[in-house]
Amino acid sequence: MNTFTRMQDLDMQGKTVFIRQDLNVPIKGGIITSDARLQASLPTIKQALGKGAGVIIASHLGRPTEGTLTDKFSLRPVADYLTQALGQKVALHTDIDTPLKLNQGEVVLLDNVRFNVGEKSNDPNLSAKYADMADVFIMDAFGTAHRAQASTHGVFKTAKQAGKVIAAGPLLAQELDALAKALDNPAKPMLAIVGGSKVSTKLDVLNSLAQICDQLIVGGGIANTFLAAQGHDVGESLYEADLLDTAKHIMSKTQVLLPSHVVVSPKSAIDFADFIGSLKQAPSQTKVVTDIANDEMILDIAPNSAKMMADAIKHAKTVLWNGPVGVFEVPAFAQGTQIIAQAVKDSNAYSIAGGGDTLAAIDAFGVVDGVSYQSTGGGAFLEFVEGKTLPAVAVLTE
């Protein structure tokens, strides 16, 4: 799968390099409130500068209206941050119709690519403008690799057709290598943990993983649908009655580990307008799955069932994790996810975790150092696991 050119192998001396990065950071009142993505992107910029290049950086920020430049969605705070972090001026370039001429060692940040008309529609004319800017084109934003847009796909296709060099940056290459290790030829036995509220949103992921996994742990509302498919009454728990046959089909493909005991709360105690807040005050009780009352909702896997799942994780050689197994933000419903997180940390398996809630749980329970690789790709991570072709990856590997 990983038959693509890597940035580290390129000669960039005296060349202008266009790097598509993911600098979509939270900004409030002009202040960057989390610089994690910027910190992750700095080594790529420094590597290009170290190779003697002039560097043009492109990224999106939020969801502005195309054709409308606003301070709220401007990357100016990012340009100021990079100026400090790199110890040199990083100019913000706001007019892509004005040609750029960079000297060796210079760095320019294009303002939010989503200001540009045609970005989202992958407009060929906009792609050509980007492709005229540089000699070498680097895709290093895995989180946007599933979007066929002008700065993530069109520019690379156009540049390639023009005979220019395109390559994967270190972050993208690292993601693809990690995913290949977990999915292409995983060490066996392989176990996947999939949480979430609905089977329908993870159906492709579940079907794909059922083909390659020896065991599958499901949590959240997904587990409720599987429990209902086994004939259990799940009370007022969220589940999808129209997908019971689908759950049965998945269970016929691989061993699905389901809880025998769960943590419940009465639906009447929950305010769905303030779900997390109300759960902090709601009563909780551990029950056997055969004893759930009509007015109760399943909100976590009970510790004894989670420990059974942890034992399976202990014996796995490859673990893929997407989604917590309970409402981990509330202590009364957090133990299932915490036990599983600790099991992943303690395991000798190669483990890869992805998805915002999953990474938040990993951070909350202090197991960051015990996970082999954390994917920041979000939607791209899920689509890759589903077996879908990511446009940006396709143009690099064709």
Side-chain angles (χ1 to χ4, degrees):
M1 182 199 74
N2 293 342
T3 54
F4 51 84
T5 304
R6 298 167 186 256
M7 174 179 157
Q8 66 195 44
D9 298 326
L10 299 180
D11 174 13
M12 297 183 177
Q13 184 66 38
K15 295 179 181 177
T16 299
V17 179
F18 178 106
I19 308 176
R20 177 54 161 100
Q21 295 191 299
D22 185 0
L23 309 181
N24 183 30
V25 293
I27 300 174
K28 290 185 179 180
I31 304 299
I32 296 167
T33 57
S34 172
D35 67 351
R37 285 178 173 166
L38 301 179
Q39 286 292 330
S41 297
L42 281 170
T44 301
I45 301 168
K46 291 176 179 178
Q47 186 179 127
L49 291 171
K51 284 174 168 282
V55 179
I56 298 170
I57 305 166
S59 176
H60 72 285
L61 178 70
R63 300 180 182 276
T65 301
E66 285 190 3
T68 304
L69 280 66
T70 60
D71 289 341
K72 177 182 178 181
F73 292 110
S74 174
L75 284 169
R76 186 166 298 282
V78 175
D80 294 340
Y81 178 98
L82 293 176
T83 294
Q84 293 294 320
L86 294 171
Q88 66 179 82
K89 177 66 176 175
V90 176
L92 186 71
H93 190 72
T94 57
D95 181 8
I96 60 167
D97 292 318
T98 301
L100 273 169
K101 289 189 177 179
L102 267 64
N103 295 317
Q104 179 179 330
E106 287 186 319
V107 183
V108 168
L109 174 65
L110 302 184
D111 210 347
N112 194 341
V113 292
R114 289 186 178 170
F115 285 157
N116 303 326
V117 175
E119 169 63 23
K120 288 186 179 179
S121 64
N122 204 11
D123 181 70
N125 293 322
L126 179 58
S127 299
K129 287 180 183 178
Y130 293 145
D132 284 341
M133 291 182 175
D135 310 300
V136 177
F137 295 81
I138 305 297
M139 177 59 179
D140 206 30
F142 180 74
T144 66
H146 59 311
R147 298 190 180 108
Q149 298 181 351
S151 70
T152 61
H153 176 262
V155 57
F156 296 97
K157 182 178 179 182
T158 304
K160 190 174 186 178
Q161 289 170 342
K164 296 183 177 182
V165 176
I166 68 171
L171 292 176
L172 179 65
Q174 191 178 25
E175 289 271 0
L176 296 178
D177 289 344
L179 285 163
K181 187 171 181 179
L183 298 172
D184 283 2
N185 189 25
K188 294 284 191 170
M190 179 180 180
L191 178 147
I193 306 153
V194 181
S197 59
K198 294 183 178 181
V199 170
S200 53
T201 60
K202 300 282 180 77
L203 183 56
D204 289 340
V205 169
L206 291 166
N207 278 324
S208 178
L209 291 173
Q211 305 297 321
I212 59 172
C213 286
D214 300 285
Q215 292 176 308
L216 186 60
I217 293 172
V218 289
I222 292 174
N224 301 339
T225 300
F226 278 82
L227 287 169
Q230 287 189 329
H232 297 297
D233 184 345
V234 294
E236 288 286 351
S237 306
L238 174 69
Y239 83 103
E240 292 168 288
D242 59 330
L243 289 176
L244 298 184
D245 286 342
T246 300
K248 291 175 184 175
H249 176 72
I250 291 169
M251 286 189 282
S252 74
K253 294 290 184 184
T254 190
Q255 182 186 10
V256 177
L257 304 180
L258 291 169
S260 59
H261 293 70
V262 291
V263 184
V264 301
S265 186
K267 184 180 180 182
S268 58
I270 302 168
D271 177 3
F272 289 90
D274 181 22
F275 186 63
I276 299 297
S278 64
L279 280 183
K280 290 178 180 177
Q281 311 300 324
S284 63
Q285 185 178 1
T286 296
K287 283 200 165 183
V288 181
V289 293
T290 53
D291 292 343
I292 297 165
N294 291 336
D295 66 333
E296 290 176 334
M297 294 186 70
I298 301 170
L299 296 166
D300 193 19
I301 292 171
N304 61 337
S305 287
K307 287 173 183 174
M308 174 271 291
M309 295 170 180
D311 189 58
I313 293 169
K314 178 182 177 181
H315 292 94
K317 298 296 185 187
T318 303
V319 174
L320 186 143
W321 183 11
N322 176 249
V325 298
V327 188
F328 75 94
E329 300 92 340
V330 180
F333 309 106
Q335 277 191 284
T337 302
Q338 184 172 13
I339 289 167
I340 282 174
Q342 188 64 44
V344 173
K345 178 182 179 179
D346 293 341
S347 168
N348 292 322
Y350 177 79
S351 54
I352 181 169
D357 287 344
T358 314
L359 300 188
I362 286 169
D363 189 49
F365 298 125
V367 301
V368 172
D369 293 341
V371 178
S372 306
Y373 188 79
Q374 295 180 63
S375 172
T376 57
F381 172 81
L382 282 179
E383 290 196 17
F384 198 98
V385 174
E386 288 167 11
K388 293 180 180 176
T389 300
L390 308 187
V393 176
V395 75
L396 291 171
T397 56
E398 284 169 352

